[in-house]
Amino acid sequence: MPVVAGVDSSTQSCKVELRELSTGRLVATGSAPHPPTEPPRSEQDPEAWWQALVRAFGIAREAAGAVRVEAIGIAGQCHGLVPLDADGGVIRPAKLWNDTTAAPELAELVAAVGAERFVETTGSLPTAAFTIAKVAWLRAHEPEHFAALRTILLPHDYLGYRLTGRFATDRSDASGTGYFDPAANVYRLEHLRRIDPDRDWASMLPEVLPPDGVAGSLAPEAAAALGIEPGAVVSAGGGDQHASALGLGICEGDLVFSFGTSGVVVTTASEPVRDPSGTVSGTGDLTGGFLPLVCTLNGAKVTDAFARLLAVDHDELSRLALAAGDDGPVLAAFLDGERTPDRPGASGLLADITTGVTREQLARAAVEGVVFGLVAGAEGIAGLGCRTDGTAFAIGGGARSEATTQLLADALGRPVATVDVAEPVARGAAVQAAAVRLGRPVAELGEAWRPPVHRLVEPRSGRATAARYARYREVAAVTELDRGR
């Protein structure tokens, strides 16, 4: 049976889905962990990603039985810097998206280029998460490694390189570098020249492939490692949230709230989006359009921390949060610094706590802290004129919490849909791979494979959520005092 493989190489793990080429039916899955990281210095060895891919692929292949893998799509965590030397070897561990140590170098770059110019030329105001900040950090802190640098890849690019031997990326992932313009589909080398005017930056960057682009054919050595026949098509791949949007088949106006290691809210747009405030990143998507995106650093780590403090599991944390009334503290959940808003030196702030505080109130504050951060992001997207009146989806591990989806519906004042899709990122990568193999438009196949809504969560009436959200915005603003600490 012909199948395609969709790969999600995230911060935490590598997940592989094998789907029937003709129908998109899920055939088998596999997963393998990545080494844990601990911001603000967050690094991983790219070899660990490759080994996890091999293990996850093997698990899926064994579970699938007699199948023929005809195409592979790779989606990966965005922004990470994978520095290679002249021989294509990794110079040092990759600095990941949630590594905020480059904040000082990023501030110098933004001052030199100008915030408006960055937004005008790349669609985004970069934060410490962006690749360009990490390149500047490398020059400032590890000059010997910077001198050896010959190729700059992103995490999904690196896995594509291991599969095909080719340096290639796509416009969605390139949008998060700080030196690519998704509207013009060109690199903005002038920003890299601010770091070093004498380097031949053009020779160091991978080719940016279109949505239906092919990175190459699976090389014999890689095929042997994966246990399949060589020659399978490797599609352009993309960023994880961009693949997730494709996997859900979202239409213009839909909002996707993703609750994972990070928190993300996105929609689709046919025209470029530029936010002078830097709240919304105007990235490219996997279909040739655009994906206005807001990403927060503090997702699962917030609820993990409060579950630990309350000595409960996540199911009990959810039950406690839903049992709370409308009184009690609110949490600005910037526990380990934040990306949106751009406050790398901030910490969390729990306000309005009294001697009468309850466990239920603390649990609700934790969940709301994550939810409200993304609701603020959705307001930023709508403020740019983007449609946000379609379906609101909640996805990711955190969306399995009843409290998360209910408090999101309460905050939005509209229903929230969930879908029975365990791995939307891997699903989106598989959609892209299948479209390339079948010669169909990526957007068309994404719509054809759109999963049905699993359930709708209605907002509760008579709740004071609007007042709590307003108080959250006041408390979050106080953390501006900690910026750059």
Side-chain angles (χ1 to χ4, degrees), residues 344-393:
S347 54
L349 183 60
L350 185 66
D352 303 335
I353 191 167
T354 70
T355 55
V357 69
T358 67
R359 289 159 56 82
E360 289 83 359
Q361 290 172 341
L362 289 174
R364 186 200 52 217
V367 177
E368 276 185 342
V370 178
V371 167
F372 284 166
L374 292 185
V375 171
E379 289 182 348
I381 292 173
L384 296 177
C386 297
R387 282 187 53 200
T388 58
D389 58 344
T391 303
F393 292 94

mmCIF file of all heavy atoms in Angstrom, residues 344-393:
data_model
loop_
_atom_site.group_PDB
_atom_site.id
_atom_site.type_symbol
_atom_site.label_atom_id
_atom_site.label_comp_id
_atom_site.label_asym_id
_atom_site.label_seq_id
_atom_site.Cartn_x
_atom_site.Cartn_y
_atom_site.Cartn_z
ATOM 1 N N PRO A 344 11.863 39.320 27.619
ATOM 2 C CA PRO A 344 12.718 38.168 27.932
ATOM 3 C C PRO A 344 13.159 38.116 29.379
ATOM 4 O O PRO A 344 13.493 37.046 29.891
ATOM 5 C CB PRO A 344 13.914 38.345 26.987
ATOM 6 C CG PRO A 344 13.909 39.792 26.614
ATOM 7 C CD PRO A 344 12.463 40.197 26.594
ATOM 8 N N GLY A 345 13.182 39.253 30.069
ATOM 9 C CA GLY A 345 13.621 39.261 31.458
ATOM 10 C C GLY A 345 12.497 39.218 32.463
ATOM 11 O O GLY A 345 12.747 39.276 33.674
ATOM 12 N N ALA A 346 11.265 39.090 32.008
ATOM 13 C CA ALA A 346 10.125 39.124 32.925
ATOM 14 C C ALA A 346 9.990 37.805 33.681
ATOM 15 O O ALA A 346 10.573 36.782 33.327
ATOM 16 C CB ALA A 346 8.841 39.426 32.153
ATOM 17 N N SER A 347 9.199 37.845 34.728
ATOM 18 C CA SER A 347 8.797 36.637 35.449
ATOM 19 C C SER A 347 7.305 36.726 35.704
ATOM 20 O O SER A 347 6.668 37.746 35.439
ATOM 21 C CB SER A 347 9.561 36.506 36.771
ATOM 22 O OG SER A 347 9.429 37.678 37.555
ATOM 23 N N GLY A 348 6.717 35.648 36.203
ATOM 24 C CA GLY A 348 5.287 35.615 36.423
ATOM 25 C C GLY A 348 4.861 36.539 37.549
ATOM 26 O O GLY A 348 5.627 36.825 38.470
ATOM 27 N N LEU A 349 3.620 37.000 37.468
ATOM 28 C CA LEU A 349 3.089 37.887 38.498
ATOM 29 C C LEU A 349 1.676 37.436 38.843
ATOM 30 O O LEU A 349 0.770 37.481 38.014
ATOM 31 C CB LEU A 349 3.078 39.333 38.001
ATOM 32 C CG LEU A 349 2.614 40.397 39.001
ATOM 33 C CD1 LEU A 349 3.505 40.397 40.233
ATOM 34 C CD2 LEU A 349 2.631 41.777 38.346
ATOM 35 N N LEU A 350 1.488 36.989 40.105
ATOM 36 C CA LEU A 350 0.184 36.562 40.614
ATOM 37 C C LEU A 350 -0.376 37.703 41.448
ATOM 38 O O LEU A 350 0.192 38.071 42.478
ATOM 39 C CB LEU A 350 0.329 35.296 41.456
ATOM 40 C CG LEU A 350 -0.956 34.642 41.962
ATOM 41 C CD1 LEU A 350 -1.774 34.102 40.799
ATOM 42 C CD2 LEU A 350 -0.621 33.514 42.940
ATOM 43 N N ALA A 351 -1.483 38.279 40.993
ATOM 44 C CA ALA A 351 -2.038 39.479 41.630
ATOM 45 C C ALA A 351 -3.371 39.177 42.293
ATOM 46 O O ALA A 351 -4.066 38.221 41.931
ATOM 47 C CB ALA A 351 -2.217 40.583 40.595
ATOM 48 N N ASP A 352 -3.731 40.025 43.266
ATOM 49 C CA ASP A 352 -5.021 39.968 43.956
ATOM 50 C C ASP A 352 -5.154 38.733 44.838
ATOM 51 O O ASP A 352 -6.262 38.231 45.069
ATOM 52 C CB ASP A 352 -6.187 40.020 42.954
ATOM 53 C CG ASP A 352 -6.148 41.256 42.079
ATOM 54 O OD1 ASP A 352 -5.571 42.265 42.509
ATOM 55 O OD2 ASP A 352 -6.677 41.196 40.952
ATOM 56 N N ILE A 353 -4.060 38.250 45.371
ATOM 57 C CA ILE A 353 -4.111 37.091 46.253
ATOM 58 C C ILE A 353 -4.393 37.560 47.678
ATOM 59 O O ILE A 353 -3.898 38.605 48.117
ATOM 60 C CB ILE A 353 -2.803 36.279 46.166
ATOM 61 C CG1 ILE A 353 -2.953 34.936 46.882
ATOM 62 C CG2 ILE A 353 -1.609 37.065 46.682
ATOM 63 C CD1 ILE A 353 -1.822 33.973 46.579
ATOM 64 N N THR A 354 -5.242 36.825 48.391
ATOM 65 C CA THR A 354 -5.591 37.142 49.774
ATOM 66 C C THR A 354 -5.425 35.890 50.632
ATOM 67 O O THR A 354 -5.158 34.795 50.116
ATOM 68 C CB THR A 354 -7.042 37.629 49.881
ATOM 69 O OG1 THR A 354 -7.928 36.516 49.636
ATOM 70 C CG2 THR A 354 -7.342 38.740 48.877
ATOM 71 N N THR A 355 -5.652 36.057 51.935
ATOM 72 C CA THR A 355 -5.565 34.895 52.841
ATOM 73 C C THR A 355 -6.692 33.899 52.586
ATOM 74 O O THR A 355 -6.611 32.748 53.004
ATOM 75 C CB THR A 355 -5.610 35.342 54.303
ATOM 76 O OG1 THR A 355 -6.799 36.126 54.520
ATOM 77 C CG2 THR A 355 -4.378 36.155 54.667
ATOM 78 N N GLY A 356 -7.709 34.336 51.877
ATOM 79 C CA GLY A 356 -8.826 33.444 51.587
ATOM 80 C C GLY A 356 -8.694 32.707 50.269
ATOM 81 O O GLY A 356 -9.638 32.038 49.838
ATOM 82 N N VAL A 357 -7.545 32.792 49.618
ATOM 83 C CA VAL A 357 -7.375 32.155 48.323
ATOM 84 C C VAL A 357 -7.577 30.646 48.430
ATOM 85 O O VAL A 357 -7.210 30.014 49.421
ATOM 86 C CB VAL A 357 -5.982 32.476 47.736
ATOM 87 C CG1 VAL A 357 -4.877 31.798 48.537
ATOM 88 C CG2 VAL A 357 -5.905 32.066 46.268
ATOM 89 N N THR A 358 -8.166 30.075 47.401
ATOM 90 C CA THR A 358 -8.433 28.638 47.394
ATOM 91 C C THR A 358 -7.598 27.936 46.326
ATOM 92 O O THR A 358 -7.090 28.570 45.396
ATOM 93 C CB THR A 358 -9.921 28.362 47.107
ATOM 94 O OG1 THR A 358 -10.225 28.750 45.757
ATOM 95 C CG2 THR A 358 -10.810 29.117 48.087
ATOM 96 N N ARG A 359 -7.527 26.636 46.467
ATOM 97 C CA ARG A 359 -6.829 25.834 45.451
ATOM 98 C C ARG A 359 -7.525 25.971 44.097
ATOM 99 O O ARG A 359 -6.877 26.018 43.054
ATOM 100 C CB ARG A 359 -6.814 24.358 45.886
ATOM 101 C CG ARG A 359 -5.905 24.078 47.064
ATOM 102 C CD ARG A 359 -6.282 22.786 47.781
ATOM 103 N NE ARG A 359 -6.309 21.624 46.922
ATOM 104 C CZ ARG A 359 -5.260 20.903 46.562
ATOM 105 N NH1 ARG A 359 -4.060 21.254 47.004
ATOM 106 N NH2 ARG A 359 -5.383 19.847 45.795
ATOM 107 N N GLU A 360 -8.825 26.037 44.111
ATOM 108 C CA GLU A 360 -9.578 26.196 42.872
ATOM 109 C C GLU A 360 -9.220 27.505 42.174
ATOM 110 O O GLU A 360 -9.047 27.533 40.950
ATOM 111 C CB GLU A 360 -11.082 26.150 43.165
ATOM 112 C CG GLU A 360 -11.614 24.782 43.555
ATOM 113 C CD GLU A 360 -11.407 24.457 45.034
ATOM 114 O OE1 GLU A 360 -10.822 25.300 45.764
ATOM 115 O OE2 GLU A 360 -11.820 23.368 45.460
ATOM 116 N N GLN A 361 -9.119 28.564 42.943
ATOM 117 C CA GLN A 361 -8.785 29.862 42.350
ATOM 118 C C GLN A 361 -7.379 29.869 41.763
ATOM 119 O O GLN A 361 -7.137 30.441 40.696
ATOM 120 C CB GLN A 361 -8.929 30.950 43.411
ATOM 121 C CG GLN A 361 -10.365 31.232 43.824
ATOM 122 C CD GLN A 361 -10.455 32.163 45.009
ATOM 123 O OE1 GLN A 361 -9.487 32.349 45.753
ATOM 124 N NE2 GLN A 361 -11.632 32.761 45.201
ATOM 125 N N LEU A 362 -6.439 29.223 42.450
ATOM 126 C CA LEU A 362 -5.072 29.166 41.926
ATOM 127 C C LEU A 362 -5.022 28.355 40.635
ATOM 128 O O LEU A 362 -4.316 28.719 39.687
ATOM 129 C CB LEU A 362 -4.137 28.568 42.970
ATOM 130 C CG LEU A 362 -3.833 29.440 44.191
ATOM 131 C CD1 LEU A 362 -3.007 28.664 45.201
ATOM 132 C CD2 LEU A 362 -3.093 30.712 43.776
ATOM 133 N N ALA A 363 -5.754 27.258 40.597
ATOM 134 C CA ALA A 363 -5.770 26.438 39.384
ATOM 135 C C ALA A 363 -6.363 27.214 38.215
ATOM 136 O O ALA A 363 -5.839 27.184 37.098
ATOM 137 C CB ALA A 363 -6.570 25.158 39.640
ATOM 138 N N ARG A 364 -7.487 27.936 38.479
ATOM 139 C CA ARG A 364 -8.083 28.714 37.405
ATOM 140 C C ARG A 364 -7.136 29.819 36.945
ATOM 141 O O ARG A 364 -7.010 30.084 35.744
ATOM 142 C CB ARG A 364 -9.406 29.330 37.850
ATOM 143 C CG ARG A 364 -10.133 30.034 36.699
ATOM 144 C CD ARG A 364 -11.152 31.030 37.192
ATOM 145 N NE ARG A 364 -10.536 31.933 38.140
ATOM 146 C CZ ARG A 364 -11.146 32.412 39.228
ATOM 147 N NH1 ARG A 364 -12.381 32.079 39.478
ATOM 148 N NH2 ARG A 364 -10.503 33.204 40.044
ATOM 149 N N ALA A 365 -6.454 30.486 37.864
ATOM 150 C CA ALA A 365 -5.520 31.550 37.485
ATOM 151 C C ALA A 365 -4.429 31.004 36.574
ATOM 152 O O ALA A 365 -4.014 31.673 35.620
ATOM 153 C CB ALA A 365 -4.918 32.183 38.737
ATOM 154 N N ALA A 366 -3.947 29.799 36.852
ATOM 155 C CA ALA A 366 -2.895 29.207 36.025
ATOM 156 C C ALA A 366 -3.386 28.957 34.609
ATOM 157 O O ALA A 366 -2.719 29.314 33.624
ATOM 158 C CB ALA A 366 -2.411 27.908 36.655
ATOM 159 N N VAL A 367 -4.550 28.326 34.482
ATOM 160 C CA VAL A 367 -5.077 28.022 33.146
ATOM 161 C C VAL A 367 -5.426 29.311 32.409
ATOM 162 O O VAL A 367 -5.118 29.481 31.226
ATOM 163 C CB VAL A 367 -6.303 27.096 33.252
ATOM 164 C CG1 VAL A 367 -6.896 26.835 31.868
ATOM 165 C CG2 VAL A 367 -5.928 25.785 33.924
ATOM 166 N N GLU A 368 -6.056 30.251 33.121
ATOM 167 C CA GLU A 368 -6.408 31.520 32.500
ATOM 168 C C GLU A 368 -5.172 32.300 32.071
ATOM 169 O O GLU A 368 -5.205 33.007 31.057
ATOM 170 C CB GLU A 368 -7.217 32.379 33.470
ATOM 171 C CG GLU A 368 -8.689 32.090 33.507
ATOM 172 C CD GLU A 368 -9.441 33.059 34.398
ATOM 173 O OE1 GLU A 368 -8.797 33.724 35.241
ATOM 174 O OE2 GLU A 368 -10.662 33.150 34.265
ATOM 175 N N GLY A 369 -4.096 32.202 32.819
ATOM 176 C CA GLY A 369 -2.887 32.922 32.447
ATOM 177 C C GLY A 369 -2.396 32.549 31.070
ATOM 178 O O GLY A 369 -1.948 33.403 30.290
ATOM 179 N N VAL A 370 -2.487 31.261 30.733
ATOM 180 C CA VAL A 370 -2.105 30.789 29.403
ATOM 181 C C VAL A 370 -3.149 31.209 28.370
ATOM 182 O O VAL A 370 -2.819 31.721 27.293
ATOM 183 C CB VAL A 370 -1.929 29.261 29.400
ATOM 184 C CG1 VAL A 370 -1.584 28.755 28.003
ATOM 185 C CG2 VAL A 370 -0.855 28.840 30.399
ATOM 186 N N VAL A 371 -4.424 30.992 28.706
ATOM 187 C CA VAL A 371 -5.512 31.305 27.777
ATOM 188 C C VAL A 371 -5.560 32.792 27.455
ATOM 189 O O VAL A 371 -5.641 33.199 26.288
ATOM 190 C CB VAL A 371 -6.861 30.844 28.372
ATOM 191 C CG1 VAL A 371 -8.036 31.439 27.597
ATOM 192 C CG2 VAL A 371 -6.947 29.324 28.384
ATOM 193 N N PHE A 372 -5.485 33.635 28.487
ATOM 194 C CA PHE A 372 -5.602 35.076 28.265
ATOM 195 C C PHE A 372 -4.454 35.616 27.414
ATOM 196 O O PHE A 372 -4.639 36.554 26.632
ATOM 197 C CB PHE A 372 -5.637 35.813 29.599
ATOM 198 C CG PHE A 372 -6.960 35.719 30.322
ATOM 199 C CD1 PHE A 372 -7.048 36.095 31.660
ATOM 200 C CD2 PHE A 372 -8.110 35.274 29.700
ATOM 201 C CE1 PHE A 372 -8.257 36.033 32.346
ATOM 202 C CE2 PHE A 372 -9.315 35.200 30.364
ATOM 203 C CZ PHE A 372 -9.400 35.582 31.697
ATOM 204 N N GLY A 373 -3.255 35.038 27.564
ATOM 205 C CA GLY A 373 -2.138 35.475 26.736
ATOM 206 C C GLY A 373 -2.411 35.273 25.261
ATOM 207 O O GLY A 373 -2.062 36.117 24.418
ATOM 208 N N LEU A 374 -3.098 34.162 24.908
ATOM 209 C CA LEU A 374 -3.412 33.897 23.505
ATOM 210 C C LEU A 374 -4.629 34.697 23.040
ATOM 211 O O LEU A 374 -4.715 35.078 21.862
ATOM 212 C CB LEU A 374 -3.634 32.405 23.293
ATOM 213 C CG LEU A 374 -2.380 31.544 23.455
ATOM 214 C CD1 LEU A 374 -2.686 30.096 23.096
ATOM 215 C CD2 LEU A 374 -1.236 32.059 22.599
ATOM 216 N N VAL A 375 -5.567 34.959 23.943
ATOM 217 C CA VAL A 375 -6.702 35.816 23.575
ATOM 218 C C VAL A 375 -6.198 37.212 23.226
ATOM 219 O O VAL A 375 -6.659 37.839 22.264
ATOM 220 C CB VAL A 375 -7.729 35.865 24.715
ATOM 221 C CG1 VAL A 375 -8.798 36.927 24.449
ATOM 222 C CG2 VAL A 375 -8.389 34.500 24.887
ATOM 223 N N ALA A 376 -5.222 37.696 23.994
ATOM 224 C CA ALA A 376 -4.620 38.991 23.662
ATOM 225 C C ALA A 376 -3.963 38.943 22.287
ATOM 226 O O ALA A 376 -4.027 39.911 21.510
ATOM 227 C CB ALA A 376 -3.597 39.385 24.729
ATOM 228 N N GLY A 377 -3.331 37.814 21.967
ATOM 229 C CA GLY A 377 -2.739 37.658 20.647
ATOM 230 C C GLY A 377 -3.780 37.680 19.545
ATOM 231 O O GLY A 377 -3.571 38.284 18.485
ATOM 232 N N ALA A 378 -4.917 37.032 19.776
ATOM 233 C CA ALA A 378 -5.993 37.029 18.786
ATOM 234 C C ALA A 378 -6.532 38.442 18.568
ATOM 235 O O ALA A 378 -6.866 38.823 17.437
ATOM 236 C CB ALA A 378 -7.115 36.098 19.232
ATOM 237 N N GLU A 379 -6.596 39.236 19.634
ATOM 238 C CA GLU A 379 -7.015 40.628 19.487
ATOM 239 C C GLU A 379 -6.019 41.403 18.626
ATOM 240 O O GLU A 379 -6.408 42.256 17.825
ATOM 241 C CB GLU A 379 -7.151 41.277 20.861
ATOM 242 C CG GLU A 379 -8.343 40.779 21.665
ATOM 243 C CD GLU A 379 -8.470 41.480 22.997
ATOM 244 O OE1 GLU A 379 -7.522 42.191 23.406
ATOM 245 O OE2 GLU A 379 -9.516 41.317 23.649
ATOM 246 N N GLY A 380 -4.738 41.096 18.804
ATOM 247 C CA GLY A 380 -3.723 41.747 17.976
ATOM 248 C C GLY A 380 -3.892 41.412 16.508
ATOM 249 O O GLY A 380 -3.748 42.279 15.628
ATOM 250 N N ILE A 381 -4.204 40.152 16.196
ATOM 251 C CA ILE A 381 -4.431 39.742 14.804
ATOM 252 C C ILE A 381 -5.641 40.455 14.227
ATOM 253 O O ILE A 381 -5.609 40.990 13.111
ATOM 254 C CB ILE A 381 -4.595 38.214 14.730
ATOM 255 C CG1 ILE A 381 -3.261 37.515 15.056
ATOM 256 C CG2 ILE A 381 -5.092 37.786 13.354
ATOM 257 C CD1 ILE A 381 -3.370 36.008 15.165
ATOM 258 N N ALA A 382 -6.730 40.483 14.986
ATOM 259 C CA ALA A 382 -7.944 41.152 14.509
ATOM 260 C C ALA A 382 -7.715 42.643 14.310
ATOM 261 O O ALA A 382 -8.269 43.253 13.388
ATOM 262 C CB ALA A 382 -9.084 40.926 15.508
ATOM 263 N N GLY A 383 -6.866 43.234 15.149
ATOM 264 C CA GLY A 383 -6.584 44.656 15.056
ATOM 265 C C GLY A 383 -5.860 45.052 13.786
ATOM 266 O O GLY A 383 -5.820 46.237 13.432
ATOM 267 N N LEU A 384 -5.276 44.078 13.081
ATOM 268 C CA LEU A 384 -4.601 44.349 11.815
ATOM 269 C C LEU A 384 -5.541 44.233 10.625
ATOM 270 O O LEU A 384 -5.114 44.343 9.478
ATOM 271 C CB LEU A 384 -3.425 43.390 11.637
ATOM 272 C CG LEU A 384 -2.295 43.508 12.659
ATOM 273 C CD1 LEU A 384 -1.236 42.441 12.407
ATOM 274 C CD2 LEU A 384 -1.663 44.887 12.611
ATOM 275 N N GLY A 385 -6.819 44.010 10.914
ATOM 276 C CA GLY A 385 -7.792 43.899 9.837
ATOM 277 C C GLY A 385 -8.004 42.486 9.331
ATOM 278 O O GLY A 385 -8.727 42.286 8.347
ATOM 279 N N CYS A 386 -7.383 41.498 9.977
ATOM 280 C CA CYS A 386 -7.566 40.109 9.557
ATOM 281 C C CYS A 386 -8.934 39.605 10.012
ATOM 282 O O CYS A 386 -9.401 39.936 11.104
ATOM 283 C CB CYS A 386 -6.486 39.218 10.167
ATOM 284 S SG CYS A 386 -4.815 39.600 9.640
ATOM 285 N N ARG A 387 -9.537 38.793 9.199
ATOM 286 C CA ARG A 387 -10.787 38.153 9.602
ATOM 287 C C ARG A 387 -10.519 37.142 10.709
ATOM 288 O O ARG A 387 -9.584 36.347 10.621
ATOM 289 C CB ARG A 387 -11.432 37.448 8.414
ATOM 290 C CG ARG A 387 -12.157 38.337 7.432
ATOM 291 C CD ARG A 387 -12.884 37.472 6.415
ATOM 292 N NE ARG A 387 -13.734 36.472 7.069
ATOM 293 C CZ ARG A 387 -14.184 35.352 6.487
ATOM 294 N NH1 ARG A 387 -13.823 35.086 5.226
ATOM 295 N NH2 ARG A 387 -14.952 34.510 7.138
ATOM 296 N N THR A 388 -11.355 37.171 11.736
ATOM 297 C CA THR A 388 -11.243 36.197 12.831
ATOM 298 C C THR A 388 -12.629 35.699 13.226
ATOM 299 O O THR A 388 -12.838 35.265 14.357
ATOM 300 C CB THR A 388 -10.548 36.816 14.049
ATOM 301 O OG1 THR A 388 -11.289 37.968 14.491
ATOM 302 C CG2 THR A 388 -9.127 37.229 13.735
ATOM 303 N N ASP A 389 -13.572 35.752 12.291
ATOM 304 C CA ASP A 389 -14.957 35.423 12.606
ATOM 305 C C ASP A 389 -15.330 33.996 12.229
ATOM 306 O O ASP A 389 -16.500 33.614 12.276
ATOM 307 C CB ASP A 389 -15.902 36.396 11.891
ATOM 308 C CG ASP A 389 -15.715 36.387 10.370
ATOM 309 O OD1 ASP A 389 -14.679 35.867 9.896
ATOM 310 O OD2 ASP A 389 -16.598 36.904 9.657
ATOM 311 N N GLY A 390 -14.355 33.193 11.858
ATOM 312 C CA GLY A 390 -14.624 31.802 11.506
ATOM 313 C C GLY A 390 -14.642 30.913 12.733
ATOM 314 O O GLY A 390 -14.894 31.361 13.856
ATOM 315 N N THR A 391 -14.350 29.653 12.529
ATOM 316 C CA THR A 391 -14.324 28.700 13.633
ATOM 317 C C THR A 391 -13.084 28.919 14.503
ATOM 318 O O THR A 391 -11.989 29.136 13.982
ATOM 319 C CB THR A 391 -14.321 27.262 13.097
ATOM 320 O OG1 THR A 391 -15.462 27.062 12.264
ATOM 321 C CG2 THR A 391 -14.328 26.246 14.226
ATOM 322 N N ALA A 392 -13.268 28.866 15.818
ATOM 323 C CA ALA A 392 -12.137 28.915 16.753
ATOM 324 C C ALA A 392 -11.820 27.489 17.179
ATOM 325 O O ALA A 392 -12.666 26.800 17.754
ATOM 326 C CB ALA A 392 -12.485 29.768 17.965
ATOM 327 N N PHE A 393 -10.600 27.044 16.870
ATOM 328 C CA PHE A 393 -10.163 25.694 17.212
ATOM 329 C C PHE A 393 -9.225 25.738 18.414
ATOM 330 O O PHE A 393 -8.425 26.673 18.553
ATOM 331 C CB PHE A 393 -9.401 25.058 16.040
ATOM 332 C CG PHE A 393 -10.239 24.747 14.837
ATOM 333 C CD1 PHE A 393 -10.329 25.649 13.788
ATOM 334 C CD2 PHE A 393 -10.918 23.543 14.737
ATOM 335 C CE1 PHE A 393 -11.089 25.365 12.661
ATOM 336 C CE2 PHE A 393 -11.683 23.255 13.609
ATOM 337 C CZ PHE A 393 -11.763 24.162 12.577
#
